[in-house]
């Protein structure tokens, strides 16, 4: 039997990676205020004992040798210790330290997959949860949003790539599990070799791996996944008993945060969001496998091109493979394509295809469940071409108008006997025929939170029937009503203005709550409004309903400036900054006093490099809200980036007048003084920032930089270790620590590890690549050093 080559050990890199855990264990033995790790190339003479290495106490500093299984790993340097306490512990410190390293080894074992020596499922979950907790407050634009994301070191985005080997059971069945384990170990090694520094690669079960990829966009995740897919496909395994050559391929499912989180999901806890993301990644992986395997699928592709008809039902109903975990929503519409057609895009792009493919028709989702959704056929282009199981779906984006030729000619529209309402199809058909005849109109989406029993004891369709009766009594006689979905009704109100529609909606919520204990959400939209046409009513109504669901009861919202803000924030979170800007501009057109939108628009302009426009918007907010701290801070940052240093400094000081503990202003003032060469004043600002709640974890990096400039290397090292305990992904702290290791003549291998992590997090900073090149050169890796330097000019 082949020996498992992936034995779990403890080395220098583990001390760096698990430094916060080691610090916690040692703090249980003795007290210290700061610490650093030291990796000399040779064991220092002062810690050499007769038979074993010994700790050294120098006034209030303790040098603690770290030895695991007779291997010297490095020194833990603790500062501000209590000499009396340490002297009493000196005879036992070696044993206690050894026990701490044993605990660290057990901790590593508990988070490591024993077969591949990769991380396990539990560690991956905890990593994702911790990252979400750190960035959750920074992902949504709003009154406290800042264009300055450079201080905290977080990009507020990451990806999860789920990797599953296709038909791997065939290898186990044909060649045995021992050979299958060998293949898994080799693939784990290949994946680890290709994954970026600071990513977390785990084997979560069987032949399924997962990669947590920090600071990554959907595009970067797709690029990496395709590279991994190619390398896995190129691996060849030889079965020793018969010399058979075996290869494998894999499917990839990608989900990104925050791009793939929708609306109310942002209100979930970090733990709940972690489960949502992992489940979405699994659904994405399933879609890749269903579409033939050996595919790379991102989450957004499931709705746009991964939908399938699973089953047809009577009365034009369908069961789809789409569910709530892929963000399917009631009312979403899809074009249906024949199962005999492959990829629609591929067919359209084939040479010789001069005529567009014709879809079978259009469908709309009416109910979303945990595993599937139910849809109804809106129309068919050719009644002879029926929808069949296996037919593929293409999402119709919000705002696109339903084909009026397909619906407008329907003559056999009928109302449901139970509720007196049209089906969604017949509602749209009727609305398309009548909407152009009115110059004033409104629309309402009335959604029941749940179809469970109300306080009256009735439930399900009976609740919908009662709600329909309430609405029909309150809305005007000429109101057109329909079933938008199983728990949502849609109403078209001709000749009803915005105010009247709002009053009617509030009355419906009051009566529904009083009679049946129903919790409703109602989204309203009216025409005319801005430059929208009647055809935009339905899309605007959906946005108003999203707005309403954020409110406390009564959850009623009429499409307005705030609705546009919420929609724009969602677009911004999904990375569609240009479309988000259009929504913010519309929001300001609807309400010129909406400084929430003005602040967010300014941030968008700044992200695109239009700092002058951004500065002007922030200045407009300040002129009407002089005490708006974030607008003033954003204004100061824009001035700083425009090199208007006097105005920037003045504005940061004004921020401190509004809030003396505004840590980010303290940091920026410190950097201004540092750039002037006034290190003493800069030190004062950074120390003040360290005393604030928000600045406690961020200040050590800046203090370390000043200490390094002053030549106080040991102090700089201690501050950097504090910074990395707070944020292990602080690229600037990692890079400076690597430089200090090189300058001090310490182990260049450790410097290389730190430098690789920094360039992985910030590959665009040329000086980071130079430090990596120097660490490689120090080890005689000339060719690798040359390649690192070549990246400086890319």
């Amino acid at each position: 039997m082949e020996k498992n080559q992936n034995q779990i050990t403890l080395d220098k890199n583990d001390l760096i990676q698990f430094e916060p855990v080691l610090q916690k264990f040692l703090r249980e033995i003795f007290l210290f205020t700061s610490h650093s790790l030291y990796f000399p190339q040779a064991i220092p003479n002062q810690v050499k004992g007769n038979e074993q290495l010994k700790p050294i106490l120098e006034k209030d500093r303790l040098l603690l040798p770290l030895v695991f299984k007779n291997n010297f790993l490095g020194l833990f340097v603790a500062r501000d210790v209590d000499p009396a306490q340490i002297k009493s512990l000196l005879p036992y410190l070696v044993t206690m330290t050894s026990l701490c390293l044993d605990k660290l080894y057990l901790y590593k074992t508990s988070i490591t997959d024993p077969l591949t020596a990769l991380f396990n499922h539990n560690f991956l979950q905890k990593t994702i949860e911790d990252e979400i907790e750190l960035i959750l407050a920074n992902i949504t634009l709003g009154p406290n949003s800042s264009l300055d994301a450079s201080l905290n070191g977080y990009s507020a985005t990451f990806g999860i790539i789920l990797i599953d080997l296709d038909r791997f059971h065939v290898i186990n069945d044909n060649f045995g599990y021992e050979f299958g384990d060998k293949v898994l170990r080799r693939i784990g090694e290949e994946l680890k070799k290709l994954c970026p520094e600071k990513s977390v690669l785990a084997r979560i079960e069987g032949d399924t791996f997962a990669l947590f990829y920090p600071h990554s966009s959907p595009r970067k995740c797709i690029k990496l996944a395709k590279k991994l897919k190619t390398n896995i496909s190129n691996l060849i395994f030889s079965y020793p008993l018969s010399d058979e050559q075996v290869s494998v391929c894999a499917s990839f499912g990608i989900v990104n945060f925050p791009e793939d989180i929708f609306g109310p999901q942002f209100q979930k806890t970090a733990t709940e969001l972690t489960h949502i993301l992992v489940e979405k990644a699994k659904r994405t992986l399933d879609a890749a496998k269903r579409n033939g395997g050996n595919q790379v699928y991102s989450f957004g592709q499931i709705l746009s091109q991964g939908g399938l008809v699973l089953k047809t039902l009577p009365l034009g109903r369908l069961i789809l493979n789409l569910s709530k975990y892929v963000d399917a929503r009631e009312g979403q519409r899809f074009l249906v394509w024949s199962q005999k057609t492959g990829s629609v895009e591929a067919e359209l792009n084939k040479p010789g295809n001069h005529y567009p493919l014709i879809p079978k028709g259009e469908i709309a989702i009416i109910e979303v469940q945990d595993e599937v959704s139910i849809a109804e056929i809106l129309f068919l282009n050719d009644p002879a071409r029926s929808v069949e199981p296996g037919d593929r779906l293409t999402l119709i984006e919000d705002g696109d108008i339903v084909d009026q030729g397909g619906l407008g000619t329907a003559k056999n529209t009928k109302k449901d006997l139970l509720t007196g309402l049209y089906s969604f199809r017949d509602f749209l058909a009727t609305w398309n025929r009548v909407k152009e005849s009115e110059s004033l109109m409104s629309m309402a989406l009335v959604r029941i939170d749940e179809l469970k029993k109300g306080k009256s004891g009735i439930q399900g369709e009976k609740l919908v029937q009662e709600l329909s009766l309430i609405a029909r009594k309150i809305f005007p006689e000429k109101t057109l009503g329909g079933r938008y979905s199983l728990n949502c009704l849609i109403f078209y109100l001709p000749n009803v203005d915005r105010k009247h529609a709002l009053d009617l909606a509030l009355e419906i919520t009051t009566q529904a709550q009083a009679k049946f204990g129903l919790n409703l959400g109602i989204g309203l939209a009216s025409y005319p409004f801005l430059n929208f046409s009647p055809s935009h009513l339905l899309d605007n109504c959906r946005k108003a309903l999203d707005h309403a669901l954020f409110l406390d009861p009564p959850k009623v919202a009429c499409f307005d400036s705030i609705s546009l803000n919420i929609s724009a924030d969602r677009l911004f979170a999904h990375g569609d900054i240009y479309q988000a800007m259009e929504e913010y501009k519309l929001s300001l057109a609807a309400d010129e006093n909406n400084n929430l939108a003005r602040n967010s628009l300014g941030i968008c302009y700044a992200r695109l490099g239009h700092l002058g426009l951004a500065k002007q918007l922030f200045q407009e907010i300040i002129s009407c809200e002089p005490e708006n701290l974030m607008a003033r801070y954003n204004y100061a940052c824009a001035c700083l980036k425009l090199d208007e240093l006097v105005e920037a400094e003045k504005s940061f000081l004004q921020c401190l007048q509004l809030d003396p503990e505004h840590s980010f202003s303290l940091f920026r003032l410190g950097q201004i003084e540092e750039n002037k060469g006034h290190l003493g004043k800069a030190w004062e600002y950074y120390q003040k920032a360290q005393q604030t709640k928000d600045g406690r974890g961020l200040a050590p990096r800046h203090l370390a930089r000043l200490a390094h400039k002053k030549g106080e290397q040991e102090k700089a090292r201690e501050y950097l270790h504090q910074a990395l305990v707070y944020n292990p992904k602080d690229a600037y702290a990692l890079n400076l620590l690597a430089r200090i290791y090189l300058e001090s003549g310490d182990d260049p291998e450790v410097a290389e590890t730190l430098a690789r992590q920094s360039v992985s997090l910030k590959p665009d900073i040329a000086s980071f690549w130079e430090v990596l090149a120097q660490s490689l050169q120090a080890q005689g890796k000339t060719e690798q050093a040359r390649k690192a330097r070549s990246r400086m000019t890319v």
Side-chain angles (χ1 to χ4, degrees):
M1 181 179 292
E2 181 181 336
K3 184 180 178 182
N4 184 355
Q5 298 300 312
N6 293 307
Q7 296 293 332
I8 300 174
T9 60
L10 204 62
D11 56 27
K12 296 174 183 178
N13 290 332
D14 293 321
L15 296 184
I16 295 172
Q17 181 165 10
F18 304 128
E19 182 178 347
V21 180
L22 178 61
Q23 176 198 237
K24 176 185 174 184
F25 290 159
L26 290 172
R27 271 218 165 94
E28 293 173 355
I29 300 173
F30 61 91
L31 299 177
F32 53 92
T33 59
S34 63
H35 77 281
S36 63
L37 288 172
Y38 179 43
F39 298 100
Q41 296 197 56
I43 301 174
N45 290 328
Q46 64 263 43
V47 300
K48 289 182 178 179
N50 295 327
E51 297 182 0
Q52 60 184 3
L53 302 184
K54 61 182 181 179
I56 300 296
L57 177 64
E58 299 175 341
K59 295 184 180 179
D60 64 347
R61 189 179 78 150
L62 176 68
L63 278 67
L64 196 59
L66 302 173
V67 180
F68 182 73
K69 293 185 178 179
N70 296 321
N71 290 323
F72 173 72
L73 303 180
L75 290 174
F76 185 91
V77 182
R79 269 198 175 277
D80 297 326
V81 299
D82 181 353
Q85 181 193 26
I86 297 302
K87 285 178 182 177
S88 65
L89 291 175
L90 275 177
Y92 316 105
L93 270 179
V94 171
T95 302
M96 289 179 169
T97 304
S98 177
L99 290 173
C100 285
L101 291 173
D102 285 342
K103 285 175 67 177
L104 189 64
Y105 173 76
L106 290 174
Y107 170 74
K108 181 181 177 181
T109 303
S110 72
I111 62 174
T112 303
D113 170 54
L115 176 66
T116 61
L118 302 176
F119 290 112
N120 61 21
H121 182 263
N122 289 339
F123 184 76
L124 177 74
Q125 293 265 129
K126 185 67 167 58
T127 300
I128 298 169
E129 187 175 327
D130 289 347
E131 187 75 1
I132 291 174
E133 284 184 342
L134 285 169
I135 66 178
L136 199 55
N138 300 317
I139 60 178
T140 304
L141 291 174
N144 296 321
S145 299
S146 167
L147 65 85
D148 183 16
S150 59
L151 283 172
N152 57 23
Y154 293 101
S155 67
T157 181
F158 63 82
I160 301 170
I161 304 176
L162 217 55
I163 309 159
D164 189 83
L165 304 182
D166 295 330
R167 295 175 56 79
F168 188 75
H169 65 90
V170 174
I171 291 179
N172 285 332
D173 293 344
N174 293 343
F175 302 101
Y177 285 91
E178 184 178 338
F179 181 73
D181 287 350
K182 175 184 175 182
V183 172
L184 289 174
R185 283 195 294 272
R186 178 68 184 88
I187 289 174
E189 292 169 0
E190 185 70 14
L191 291 172
K192 188 174 183 179
K193 182 174 69 176
L194 296 171
C195 288
E197 295 283 346
K198 283 297 179 182
S199 62
V200 173
L201 179 63
R203 175 175 173 248
I204 58 177
E205 60 180 354
D207 59 345
T208 303
F209 301 83
L211 174 68
F212 168 77
Y213 189 2
H215 295 254
S216 63
S217 63
R219 182 183 60 81
K220 287 175 66 176
C221 286
I222 291 172
K223 182 179 179 181
L224 175 61
K226 288 181 176 179
K227 180 180 179 181
L228 297 177
K229 182 173 79 72
T230 300
N231 281 59
I232 290 174
S233 299
N234 290 338
L235 292 175
I236 302 295
F237 304 91
S238 179
Y239 184 57
L241 296 181
S242 62
D243 288 331
E244 289 180 72
Q245 302 296 297
V246 179
S247 63
V248 294
C249 57
S251 297
F252 293 74
I254 300 169
V255 65
N256 285 85
F257 185 85
E259 289 87 349
D260 295 325
I261 295 297
F262 169 71
Q265 291 176 346
F266 281 116
Q267 297 175 324
K268 304 286 187 181
T269 65
T271 301
E272 291 172 322
L273 277 171
T274 300
H275 288 297
I276 290 171
L277 284 168
V278 172
E279 185 61 33
K280 288 184 175 186
K282 288 179 180 178
R283 303 287 169 149
T284 310
L285 179 63
D286 289 343
K289 290 182 125 6
R290 275 197 309 270
N291 283 276
N294 199 28
Q295 303 267 353
V296 173
Y297 255 62
S298 63
F299 180 77
Q301 288 177 280
I302 303 179
L303 270 180
S304 63
Q305 55 187 273
L308 295 172
V309 176
L310 298 179
K311 187 176 180 180
T312 59
L313 301 173
L315 302 175
R317 299 290 172 89
L318 309 167
I319 296 179
L320 312 180
N321 67 323
L322 306 173
S323 69
K324 72 177 184 180
Y325 288 107
V326 300
D327 288 347
R329 301 167 64 197
E330 290 93 349
Q332 281 176 329
R333 294 171 290 121
F334 299 83
L335 296 177
V336 184
W337 305 86
S338 171
Q339 60 178 320
K340 299 178 179 61
T341 303
S343 163
V344 175
E345 284 189 20
E347 290 293 322
L348 289 173
N349 292 326
K350 276 185 180 179
N353 277 0
H354 302 296
Y355 301 98
L357 294 173
I358 303 299
K360 286 185 174 181
E362 188 173 309
I363 65 174
I365 293 178
I366 60 173
E367 181 185 5
V368 178
Q369 300 178 359
D370 287 350
E371 301 296 329
V372 297
S373 60
I374 298 173
E376 69 173 353
I377 297 173
L378 296 178
F379 71 88
L380 295 174
N381 284 316
D382 181 356
R385 297 177 68 209
S386 60
V387 177
E388 301 172 308
D391 282 351
R392 299 177 180 276
L393 308 175
T394 302
L395 178 67
I396 300 173
E397 296 294 340
D398 283 351
D400 292 346
I401 306 304
V402 176
D403 183 276
Q404 295 186 24
L407 285 174
T409 58
K411 302 296 184 183
N412 58 341
T413 55
K414 291 185 289 188
K415 293 183 179 180
D416 176 50
L417 293 176
L418 181 67
T419 61
L421 302 173
Y422 288 112
S423 68
F424 186 43
R425 174 197 183 281
D426 289 346
F427 173 86
L428 289 174
T430 307
W431 177 55
N432 272 326
R433 289 197 299 269
V434 303
K435 69 175 186 286
E436 301 301 336
S437 62
E438 300 290 344
S439 59
L440 178 67
M441 65 190 79
S442 294
M443 183 174 282
L445 281 172
V446 183
R447 185 181 186 277
I448 305 173
D449 264 1
E450 293 182 355
L451 292 178
K452 297 178 180 178
K453 283 186 180 180
K455 67 180 184 182
S456 60
I458 63 173
Q459 60 183 349
E461 283 294 290
K462 184 62 175 173
L463 276 179
V464 177
Q465 182 185 25
E466 294 295 344
L467 176 60
S468 169
L469 290 172
I470 292 173
R472 287 163 61 194
K473 287 179 181 177
I474 294 175
F475 283 143
E477 184 178 351
K478 291 184 178 181
T479 296
L480 176 69
R483 291 291 295 270
Y484 182 74
S485 67
L486 291 189
N487 67 333
C488 188
L489 308 182
I490 185 168
F491 297 93
Y492 167 64
L493 289 67
N495 204 32
V496 173
D497 64 17
R498 175 192 183 88
K499 183 179 183 306
H500 190 194
L502 189 59
D503 292 338
L504 296 173
L506 290 170
E507 179 61 23
I508 289 174
T509 60
T510 301
Q511 289 197 24
Q513 177 59 232
K515 290 184 178 180
F516 306 106
L518 288 180
N519 295 315
L520 301 181
I522 302 182
L524 301 165
S526 297
Y527 172 83
F529 183 72
L530 296 180
N531 61 344
F532 292 105
S533 71
S535 295
H536 289 100
L537 268 184
L538 179 54
D539 188 36
N540 291 348
C541 222
R542 290 192 189 106
K543 293 176 181 177
L545 182 58
D546 289 340
H547 177 186
L549 296 178
F550 277 104
L551 303 176
D552 294 326
K555 297 188 174 189
V556 178
C558 194
F559 181 70
D560 61 3
S561 180
I562 301 301
S563 307
L564 284 160
N565 251 39
I566 293 171
S567 174
D569 287 350
R570 180 189 173 199
L571 290 165
F572 185 91
H574 280 248
D576 193 349
I577 191 168
Y578 290 102
Q579 189 58 42
M581 289 173 67
E582 293 306 311
E583 297 271 86
Y584 288 130
K585 289 176 183 177
L586 285 172
S587 180
L588 284 171
D591 179 5
E592 63 179 10
N593 296 317
N594 187 342
N595 283 328
L596 191 70
R598 188 169 275 107
N599 187 62
S600 298
L601 182 60
I603 291 171
C604 290
Y605 275 128
R607 293 279 177 92
L608 296 174
H610 303 308
L611 293 168
L613 291 172
K615 174 186 168 185
Q616 181 180 335
L617 287 167
F618 299 137
Q619 201 165 19
E620 289 174 7
I621 300 173
I622 296 169
S623 65
C624 58
E625 296 180 15
E627 296 189 359
N628 189 317
L629 175 61
M630 196 49 61
R632 192 172 290 279
Y633 178 74
N634 286 340
Y635 171 78
C637 288
C639 292
L640 186 62
K641 292 183 178 185
L642 288 167
D643 288 328
E644 299 173 3
L645 299 184
V646 174
E647 183 65 18
E649 186 173 5
K650 173 185 171 184
S651 296
F652 285 129
L653 288 169
Q654 289 172 337
C655 290
L656 292 178
Q657 291 175 4
L658 295 171
D659 178 6
E661 294 198 346
H662 191 246
S663 59
F664 292 114
S665 292
L666 289 166
F667 283 126
R668 286 306 179 203
L669 287 166
Q671 288 176 340
I672 290 173
E673 295 297 340
E674 185 178 346
N675 291 334
K676 291 177 182 177
H678 303 160
L679 301 189
K681 287 185 177 180
W683 187 273
E684 290 178 10
Y685 277 124
Y686 294 149
Q687 283 195 318
K688 285 181 181 178
Q690 193 173 27
Q691 304 306 312
T692 67
K693 179 182 176 182
D694 294 331
R696 192 175 300 125
L698 299 173
R701 181 225 291 175
H702 300 278
L703 291 167
R705 188 174 60 250
L706 286 188
H708 179 254
K709 287 182 176 181
K710 294 178 183 180
E712 300 171 350
Q713 304 292 62
E714 189 173 335
K715 184 179 289 187
R717 195 195 301 259
E718 290 173 7
Y719 278 125
L720 288 171
H721 281 282
Q722 290 179 37
L724 291 170
V725 167
Y726 170 75
N727 176 12
K729 301 182 185 69
D730 188 333
Y732 298 95
L734 288 163
N735 179 261
L736 182 54
L737 190 56
R739 287 171 56 192
I740 290 174
Y741 272 104
L742 286 173
E743 293 166 0
S744 303
D746 296 337
D747 191 342
E749 186 178 344
V750 175
E752 178 192 346
T753 297
L754 296 165
R756 285 191 182 278
Q757 292 176 3
S758 69
V759 298
S760 173
L761 293 166
K762 296 288 185 182
D764 299 331
I765 301 180
S767 61
F768 285 13
W769 288 99
E770 174 58 29
V771 174
L772 175 58
Q774 291 174 11
S775 67
L776 292 166
Q777 194 72 54
Q779 299 173 75
K781 301 177 181 179
T782 305
E783 179 59 22
Q784 291 186 42
R786 184 190 66 77
K787 290 181 179 179
R789 286 194 171 94
S790 70
R791 290 292 304 270
M792 295 169 59
T793 58
V794 175

